[in-house]
C-alpha cells in the first residue's frame, strides 16, 4: 500500500474514532486533508474505496444518524466497542515463543509485520527479548520473486495465473495455502484447468504470477483438510544421493540435509565431503549451481553435468 494512501486511511480512522456524533461525508472531506483538493467525483470514488479498505482490515465503520441531524445522507462512525481490543497478556513461555518467531522472517514482506508486532508488544509493556535466541538463528527465507503475490493472493482469495517450469501453458490457480518444505516454499491450490488440487514449487514459477479478477473470488471447498492434502502432495522422498564437496562453514542449507563422509578424493583443505540425499525430481542441481564456488559435485556424473550446464548458461556460454 502506498505511503500516501496509508496516511489517508490513518487520518480517516482518527477522524471517525474521535467523533462524538455521526460525521457526514462532507464533514469528513474537511477533516481529512487529502480529500479537500479532490473534485467531487474523485472524492466520492476515493472515499468509497477507503471505506472498503478499512472494513477489509477489520475496522468497524458503521452508518447512522442522530434524529434530525442529517437530512439526506447517513453519518459515519467507528464503533469503539468493536474496534478496541481487550487487554492482552502473555506468560513467559508465550513471550519466548513470540520472540523466537520474530527472528524467523528475514527476506519477505512479513518481516515488516513481525517488527511492527514486536514494537507494539514492547509499547504495551511486554518484555520481548528476541536477542536471547541468537544462537538458535531460525530462518525461513522468502526470496522467491513469486512469494509476495502468492502470499497476498492466498490471504485475499484471489485467483492467480503463471507459467511453470518454463512451459508455455498459463496455469490458472486458486491459491489455498503456502507451505515450507525441505528448504523451499510450495503453493497448494486448485489448478482450474485440471480441476484438481496441485502443489507448485515457487522457485519453478517461470513467469508471473499475476492476480486475476477480484478478491474473494473463491472459497476452499467445505470439508477439505488442507493440511492433509498438502502432506499428500508433498515432493517425493529422496530416492538418490550425491557426493558434494562443500567449503567449510558455507551453505548450511545444503550440509544439514546430508551426512559428513569421506570421499577418498584429495580436496582443498577448506572443503569437506557430504553425502546429500535428494529426489530425482528435485532442484538440487540448481541449488548447487547457485552456491557457486562453495560447492562441487563429485558424483553422480549426471548431476555434475547438469550443474555445469546451468553454470555455463548463467555465464552466457553454450551449454
Amino acid at each position: 500500500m502506498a505511503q500516501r494512501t496509508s496516511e489517508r486511511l490513518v487520518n480517516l480512522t482518527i477522524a471517525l474514532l474521535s467523533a462524538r456524533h455521526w460525521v457526514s461525508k462532507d464533514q469528513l472531506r474537511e477533516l481529512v486533508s487529502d480529500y479537500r483538493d479532490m473534485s467531487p467525483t474523485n472524492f466520492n470514488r476515493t472515499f468509497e474505496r477507503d471505506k472498503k479498505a478499512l472494513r477489509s482490515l477489520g475496522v468497524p465503520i458503521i452508518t447512522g444518524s442522530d434524529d434530525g441531524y442529517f437530512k439526506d445522507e447517513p453519518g459515519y462512525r467507528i464503533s469503539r466497542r468493536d474496534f478496541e481490543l481487550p487487554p492482552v497478556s502473555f506468560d513467559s513461555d508465550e513471550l519466548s515463543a513470540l520472540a523466537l518467531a520474530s527472528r524467523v522472517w528475514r527476506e519477505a514482506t512479513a518481516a515488516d509485520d513481525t517488527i511492527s508486532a514486536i514494537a507494539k508488544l514492547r509499547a504495551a509493556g511486554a518484555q520481548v527479548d528476541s536477542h536471547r535466541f541468537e544462537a538458535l538463528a531460525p530462518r525461513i527465507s522468502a526470496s522467491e520473486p513469486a512469494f509476495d503475490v502468492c502470499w497476498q493472493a492466498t490471504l485475499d482469495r484471489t485467483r492467480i495465473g503463471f507459467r511453470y517450469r518454463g512451459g508455455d501453458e498459463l496455469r490458472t490457480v486458486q491459491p489455498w495455502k503456502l507451505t515450507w518444505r525441505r528448504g523451499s516454499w510450495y503453493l497448494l491450490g486448485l489448478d482450474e484447468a485440471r480441476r484438481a488440487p496441485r502443489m507448485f514449487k515457487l522457485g519453478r514459477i517461470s513467469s508471473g504470477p499475476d492476480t486475476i479478477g477480484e478478491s474473494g473470488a473463491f472459497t476452499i471447498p467445505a470439508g477439505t483438510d488442507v493440511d492433509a492434502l498438502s502432506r499428500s502432495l508433498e515432493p517425493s522422498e529422496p530416492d538418490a544421493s550425491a557426493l558434494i564437496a562443500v567449503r567449510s562453514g558455507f551453505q548450511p542449507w545444503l550440509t544439514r540435509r546430508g551426512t559428513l563422509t569421506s570421499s577418498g578424493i584429495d580436496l582443498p583443505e577448506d572443503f569437506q565431503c557430504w553425502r546429500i540425499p535428494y529426489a530425482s525430481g528435485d532442484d538440487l542441481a540448481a541449488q548447487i549451481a547457485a552456491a557457486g564456488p562453495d560447492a562441487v559435485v563429485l558424483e553422480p556424473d549426471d548431476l555434475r553435468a547438469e550443474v555445469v550446464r546451468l553454470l555455463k548458461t548463467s555465464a552466457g556460454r553454450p551449454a
Side-chain angles (χ1 to χ4, degrees), residues 102 110-120 122:
S102 75
D112 294 335
D113 297 331
T114 61
I115 292 170
S116 174
I118 293 299
K120 291 176 182 177
R122 286 172 175 157

Side-chain angles (χ1 to χ4, degrees), residues 63 264 287:
T63 58
Q287 295 167 352

Side-chain angles (χ1 to χ4, degrees), residues 14-216:
I14 293 172
L16 291 170
L17 272 174
S18 60
R20 296 187 177 184
H21 301 283
W22 299 99
V23 184
S24 72
K25 188 161 62 174
D26 289 339
Q27 289 173 325
L28 287 171
R29 187 176 184 181
E30 292 300 318
L31 290 170
V32 180
S33 58
D34 279 10
Y35 291 149
R36 294 172 192 163
D37 297 330
M38 295 181 181
S39 67
T41 300
N42 192 24
F43 163 66
N44 287 329
R45 183 169 56 247
T46 304
F47 179 65
E48 292 302 318
R49 187 166 58 241
D50 288 350
K51 280 195 304 177
K52 182 179 179 180
L54 287 177
R55 284 170 172 159
S56 71
L57 293 171
V59 179
I61 300 177
I62 57 177
T63 58
S65 65
D66 297 321
D67 291 339
Y69 198 72
F70 301 125
K71 293 181 179 180
D72 303 318
E73 62 174 330
Y76 300 91
R77 291 180 65 182
I78 290 177
S79 171
R80 280 186 171 273
R81 181 183 61 186
D82 297 328
F83 179 76
E84 296 176 347
L85 294 174
V88 178
S89 60
F90 300 96
D91 60 29
S92 58
D93 289 341
E94 290 169 333
L95 286 172
S96 296
L98 286 169
L100 190 57
S102 75
R103 303 204 59 78
V104 169
W105 296 93
R106 285 294 181 272
E107 300 167 41
T109 302
D112 294 335
D113 297 331
T114 61
I115 292 170
S116 174
I118 293 299
K120 291 176 182 177
L121 288 170
R122 286 172 175 157
Q127 300 301 312
V128 183
D129 184 8
S130 61
H131 295 289
R132 293 168 54 195
F133 303 95
E134 282 286 354
L136 296 177
R139 295 195 177 184
I140 298 178
S141 67
S143 57
E144 295 92 337
F147 181 87
D148 285 346
V149 174
C150 291
W151 173 268
Q152 194 61 49
T154 302
L155 297 178
D156 296 340
R157 294 289 184 253
T158 306
R159 296 160 64 238
I160 56 176
F162 54 83
R163 287 180 172 80
Y164 196 60
R165 294 181 177 177
D168 294 330
E169 178 188 4
L170 180 65
R171 313 289 285 267
T172 301
V173 175
Q174 298 176 10
W176 291 354
K177 178 183 178 181
L178 281 171
T179 184
W180 175 262
R181 291 289 185 272
R182 295 205 289 270
S184 299
W185 281 105
Y186 291 82
L187 172 70
L188 171 66
L190 179 69
D191 188 323
E192 293 187 344
R194 291 158 178 78
R195 299 182 181 179
R198 290 289 187 270
M199 185 86 85
F200 302 94
K201 187 172 184 177
L202 295 196
R204 293 179 178 173
I205 292 178
S206 56
S207 176
D210 300 304
T211 56
I212 301 173
E214 301 294 328
S215 60

